[in-house]
Amino acid sequence: MSVKIDVIRVEIPEGTNVIIGQSHFIKTVEDLYETLASSSPHLKFGIAFCEASGKRLIRWDGNDEELIKLAQQTALKIGAGHTFVIYIKNGFPINVLNRIKNVEEVVRIFAATANPLQVLIAETDQGRGVIGVVDGYTPLGIETEADIKERKELLRKFGYKR
């Protein structure tokens, strides 16, 4: 048996974030929909889920056509069983991530980001699986006192700290 490794570049349009994870059951799409819809009346989102048995379809839902299409296209490119893709607007992963993690079918989160993202895929004779992600770029150094001050000010500007 052999393994082929591939890299899938994930498109993340300006003003959106993507969350990629793994779950274990077909009702994932509906449960993720309910979780996201009840998190904020302003959140726009699209969900796609790679079914791993039966019809093996890309199952989908959401409340924004553009984000639904992006999620469907990305899930199809990744093509790994039980992987889900969520695109969001008018909110950030920090606002919904713990709620998503608490959905009973969710096994893990691979990424939650607006950064350039690559998904590492392993392919065997059985199928495809996510082996990891490359989120953003390699660090260029260690933050200075000025960088610490800037970070703290940014968190306060966003309202995450007082």
Side-chain angles (χ1 to χ4, degrees):
M1 184 180 331
S2 65
V3 177
K4 176 186 164 200
I5 306 293
D6 199 6
V7 178
I8 306 298
R9 185 171 307 278
V10 176
E11 178 186 346
I12 307 175
E14 186 73 30
T16 65
N17 279 264
V18 67
I19 300 167
I20 297 178
Q22 184 178 33
S23 66
H24 71 88
F25 192 50
I26 193 172
K27 81 182 193 76
T28 299
V29 171
E30 290 180 55
D31 288 354
L32 287 173
Y33 181 95
E34 291 169 356
T35 294
L36 293 167
S38 66
S39 70
S40 167
H42 307 289
L43 189 70
K44 297 297 180 195
F45 60 91
I47 305 164
F49 169 71
C50 299
E51 191 175 37
S53 60
K55 291 186 173 184
R56 298 190 336 228
L57 300 172
I58 303 294
R59 304 293 182 165
W60 59 272
D61 209 335
N63 65 6
D64 182 282
E65 289 300 317
E66 174 190 351
L67 299 177
I68 291 168
K69 295 248 181 281
L70 274 170
Q72 290 170 335
Q73 293 165 358
T74 301
L76 195 57
K77 284 189 338 188
I78 293 170
H82 283 164
T83 300
F84 64 83
V85 176
I86 301 169
Y87 279 91
I88 62 173
K89 274 187 189 175
N90 302 337
F92 299 99
I94 194 170
N95 305 130
V96 296
L97 207 49
N98 280 335
R99 294 181 69 143
I100 291 170
K101 290 176 190 176
N102 284 323
V103 170
E104 61 190 357
E105 300 90 34
V106 172
V107 176
R108 74 184 62 178
I109 303 293
F110 294 112
T113 191
N115 293 328
L117 182 66
Q118 297 172 325
V119 179
L120 307 176
I121 300 293
E123 186 169 355
T124 69
D125 60 339
Q126 178 178 310
R128 294 164 60 103
V130 176
I131 56 176
V133 297
V134 178
D135 184 348
Y137 301 105
T138 304
L140 298 174
I142 296 174
E143 71 179 348
T144 64
E145 289 299 321
D147 296 319
I148 292 170
K149 182 177 186 275
E150 180 183 21
R151 169 174 43 91
K152 289 181 177 184
E153 288 171 357
L154 181 66
L155 292 174
R156 279 144 187 84
K157 176 183 170 191
F158 288 155
Y160 290 127
K161 298 288 183 178
R162 296 190 318 155

